[in-house]
Amino acid sequence: MRQWLGQAVGLSVVISALLGCNQLPVSQGTPYTGNTYANTSATQPGASPAVVVDPQRCADEVDCQLKRLRTVVFLGDVARAGGPRLVRQGESMVTPAGGMVEGWPQLRIDFPTSLSGKFVIQSDCASEHCRFDAETLRRVYRSHLAGEPQRLKEVACKAPGATHKLVGRWYEERELDGKQVKQLLALNADGRFQLDYQVHDVSAVDVGQESGCWSQQGDQQVLETTEVSGRPVYYRDSYRLVEQRGDSLVLEKADGAHSTARRVHAGFALQEPDGPSVSF
């Protein structure tokens, strides 16, 4: 409940910031027609109404205000995907100093100051890899402005296809510092992965789940983790594909250690621990 209230207060602050900055006067009598506005106030008999096609532009003052509100929804989508929380800076929303999130580019959204202007999103990836490239962010933002929003979590992964040789479920058991580790890695055809794992100790079993996107880049299997036990995160791991033969998969980790997994059927799952368990 406390978290929900904090999100609600934060959302109201963002809405006030968006609508309070150089707000254009509200126009009356301009009807909304789906994803576009028809400006009929100056339409002469027999003339066709002007229709806005570019979602980054405004049809009129009402349309501008609506798209500011849709920007709020987009910023919420960014936050839910684990991205930064933007703050107001003049006629823009920007990633604040000290507000960078690992794996995310620095974001900036500029609002139009007149009806001839446009909504513009900019992104600058300062690291070698960012979870979203500039074109993907621009495409998703435009979908929000158009009233047909895509979700960042749904477009993050690139599908390798159902025929890719690594698609499937892979199970591994190994020893780590005297503890038994069991993990089940599901590599899905849509580019998503889910890793369920258990670390068995004498006193308890640590359990956890990671999820995100996977891909194969040359001889490297890449896992981009975006959630750990429901918490948004971002980190990127690469493993060298040593061998994949039949139902056996051998990967080499960064420290040179080999990890060997076997393919299991679609209904295979880790058994519930017998003793007490602790979630990561």
Side-chain angles (χ1 to χ4, degrees):
M1 177 64 74
R2 182 177 302 175
Q3 182 181 7
W4 180 87
L5 288 174
Q7 292 174 343
V9 171
L11 181 62
S12 66
V13 170
V14 173
I15 293 175
S16 298
L18 292 179
L19 295 183
C21 54
N22 236 2
Q23 182 174 341
L24 295 171
V26 178
S27 173
Q28 302 296 325
T30 304
Y32 177 54
T33 56
N35 293 326
T36 59
Y37 280 89
N39 187 355
T40 58
S41 58
T43 302
Q44 299 298 323
S48 299
V51 177
V52 172
V53 176
D54 185 354
Q56 291 180 249
R57 296 190 179 276
C58 300
D60 56 23
E61 293 89 348
V62 174
D63 193 28
C64 271
Q65 292 180 29
L66 176 62
K67 288 177 177 177
R68 285 174 181 260
L69 291 174
R70 287 175 174 169
T71 298
V72 174
V73 179
F74 171 73
L75 295 179
D77 189 31
V78 169
R80 284 189 297 274
R85 298 183 181 275
L86 277 63
V87 299
R88 176 185 171 185
Q89 186 181 88
E91 282 299 292
S92 305
M93 299 294 291
V94 301
T95 303
M100 292 292 293
V101 175
E102 184 178 359
W104 279 79
Q106 185 171 4
L107 299 178
R108 178 188 180 97
I109 295 179
D110 296 319
F111 301 111
T113 56
S114 68
L115 289 180
S116 61
K118 64 187 300 186
F119 292 80
V120 178
I121 182 171
Q122 303 175 49
S123 62
D124 180 21
C125 182
S127 59
E128 183 179 358
H129 299 282
C130 275
R131 184 181 175 193
F132 296 101
D133 58 28
E135 178 55 34
T136 298
L137 288 167
R138 177 178 176 274
R139 173 166 51 85
V140 174
Y141 180 46
R142 283 172 59 88
S143 75
H144 278 264
L145 293 177
E148 299 177 349
Q150 296 176 328
R151 303 301 179 193
L152 284 170
K153 283 187 176 182
E154 297 172 359
V155 302
C157 305
K158 297 180 180 179
T163 59
H164 194 285
K165 62 182 181 181
L166 294 182
V167 169
R169 298 167 73 83
W170 302 89
Y171 176 71
E172 178 188 9
E173 288 188 19
R174 56 190 169 89
E175 294 290 325
L176 177 66
D177 299 330
K179 303 176 182 179
Q180 184 185 37
V181 178
K182 299 179 180 181
Q183 59 183 41
L184 176 63
L185 175 64
L187 300 177
N188 300 324
D190 62 359
R192 300 176 188 273
F193 82 86
Q194 179 173 304
L195 175 66
D196 295 289
Y197 52 89
Q198 299 175 352
V199 181
H200 293 252
D201 200 353
V202 292
S203 58
V205 179
D206 294 329
V207 299
Q209 184 182 90
E210 299 181 5
S211 60
C213 302
W214 75 276
S215 62
Q216 185 177 352
Q217 302 175 15
D219 65 348
Q220 300 290 312
Q221 182 191 17
V222 179
L223 300 181
E224 294 182 88
T225 303
T226 57
E227 283 191 7
V228 174
S229 299
R231 300 185 303 273
V233 299
Y234 182 83
Y235 51 85
R236 187 177 189 272
D237 297 305
S238 295
Y239 307 91
R240 187 174 72 86
L241 180 60
V242 177
E243 182 181 46
Q244 196 273 313
R245 181 180 302 172
D247 292 336
S248 177
L249 175 66
V250 181
L251 300 174
E252 183 179 80
K253 302 180 180 181
D255 60 3
H258 282 196
S259 172
T260 302
R262 63 181 174 88
R263 190 188 295 272
V264 293
H265 59 83
F268 185 91
L270 297 182
Q271 293 184 349
E272 291 291 332
D274 294 331
S277 61
V278 179
S279 297
F280 277 97

